[in-house]
Amino acid sequence: MVNHSQTVFDVTASTYDKDRARLIPGHDRFYGWAVGLIPADARRILDLGAGSGGLTALVRKAFPEAQIHLLDFSAPMLELANQRLGDDAGVTYEVGDYTRAKLPKGLDAIVSALSIHHLDDADKPQLFVRAHEALKPGGVFLNADQVLGPTPELEARYKALWLAQVRENGATEQQIRDSLYRQQEDRCATVEQQLQWMRDAGFADADCWFKDNRFAVMAGTKAA
Ligand SMILES: C[S@@+](CC[C@H](N)C(=O)[O-])C[C@H]1O[C@@H](n2cnc3c(N)ncnc32)[C@H](O)[C@@H]1O
């Protein structure tokens, strides 16, 4: 199946930020867990699929001394990140596909939010291997993402619950339609499968630290 994720984000970049808070039930706790799992002494951080910089801005606030590199294949999304983060010598931007781009080495943390579920399943474990290689010993890989229900029944319940949650959150029918349009490009994998791929890649303590319906925060450490 052809992957149209880049086009989808290029086209919907302008509405993405406005929609985000309403379309991610448990938004603050989800992102809070993602930032909270980064080692306190992290100085070199890579954000995979940084998009409009929603996660990056929180990381920046918690790690004002860190060098943060944003990698994303949608130039319009990175442009929004640049507007959000402003003039900051500690922040660098790269337009590129992270399944192919050379990742910086010796990183303290690799973070990613709501992005890796756009990859085909064959590409996810390869990315986890490359993330493991790019980290320093003791470095952390953190993936805050949408996951697949472990059974078709649970997947159907995830969908129904998400619709009820976002309507309760005040999402408009247009916002829901835009989100469903983006979701055409989703290729979610289960938590169990992703933790196994992380362990196979060499992560010592892969675990899921937070989960609210299909929104999960998974992390693993490269052994010191
Ligand atoms: C839903 S947005 C999330 C943005 C941001 N991380 C956040 O939490 O708000 C997903 C981002 O991943 C990017 N993306 C998806 N697949 C990618 C790939 N293979 N290489 C680079 N960027 C990718 C998209 O362009 C998009 O900006």
Side-chain angles (χ1 to χ4, degrees):
M1 195 180 11
V2 182
N3 193 321
H4 296 290
S5 298
Q6 183 184 348
T7 316
V8 163
F9 281 101
D10 286 351
V11 168
T12 61
S14 62
T15 56
Y16 178 76
D17 277 335
K18 198 152 53 71
D19 296 357
R20 215 164 60 109
R22 289 197 170 142
L23 295 172
I24 305 170
H27 174 279
D28 292 354
R29 290 197 70 213
F30 174 70
Y31 280 98
W33 267 97
V35 176
L37 287 166
I38 300 171
D41 58 355
R43 287 293 171 269
R44 294 190 63 218
I45 301 172
L46 170 65
D47 188 344
L48 294 175
S52 58
L55 172 63
T56 327
L58 297 172
V59 174
R60 184 32 133 203
K61 201 166 167 213
F63 295 86
E65 307 297 328
Q67 292 285 324
I68 308 177
H69 188 65
L70 290 78
L71 176 55
D72 198 293
F73 60 20
S74 170
M77 290 292 273
L78 277 187
E79 180 51 40
L80 291 170
N82 192 201
Q83 286 167 24
R84 186 199 291 269
L85 295 161
D87 195 13
D88 184 336
V91 175
T92 49
Y93 301 86
E94 179 182 345
V95 178
D97 181 340
Y98 57 64
T99 62
R100 284 178 241 157
K102 202 168 166 204
L103 304 183
K105 291 279 186 258
L107 297 163
D108 297 301
I110 299 177
V111 301
S112 184
L114 302 177
S115 185
I116 292 171
H117 71 277
H118 293 295
L119 303 188
D120 292 329
D121 275 0
D123 290 330
K124 292 185 186 94
Q126 289 179 25
L127 177 68
F128 295 175
V129 168
R130 291 170 62 239
H132 188 264
E133 284 167 4
L135 286 166
K136 271 186 186 163
V140 167
F141 172 53
L142 187 153
N143 181 20
D145 209 358
Q146 288 175 225
V147 299
L148 184 69
T151 63
E153 291 74 21
L154 284 167
E155 174 59 21
R157 284 175 66 182
Y158 283 8
K159 273 194 185 133
L161 178 59
W162 175 80
L163 270 175
Q165 285 174 318
V166 298
R167 289 197 169 113
E168 172 86 23
N169 265 357
T172 64
E173 292 308 308
Q174 183 60 50
Q175 285 175 318
I176 293 171
R177 269 195 299 277
D178 286 350
S179 177
L180 292 171
Y181 169 68
R182 286 192 290 264
Q183 286 173 34
Q184 292 174 77
E185 292 304 318
D186 288 358
R187 289 142 164 82
C188 297
T190 63
V191 167
E192 287 88 347
Q193 178 65 83
Q194 297 191 73
L195 294 180
Q196 189 56 52
W197 284 331
M198 287 171 70
R199 291 181 190 117
D200 293 346
F203 288 100
D205 55 359
D207 199 7
C208 177
W209 291 84
F210 169 85
K211 187 168 176 296
D212 179 341
N213 194 9
R214 73 163 75 254
F215 294 87
V217 180
M218 298 157 278
T221 308
K222 178 166 176 168

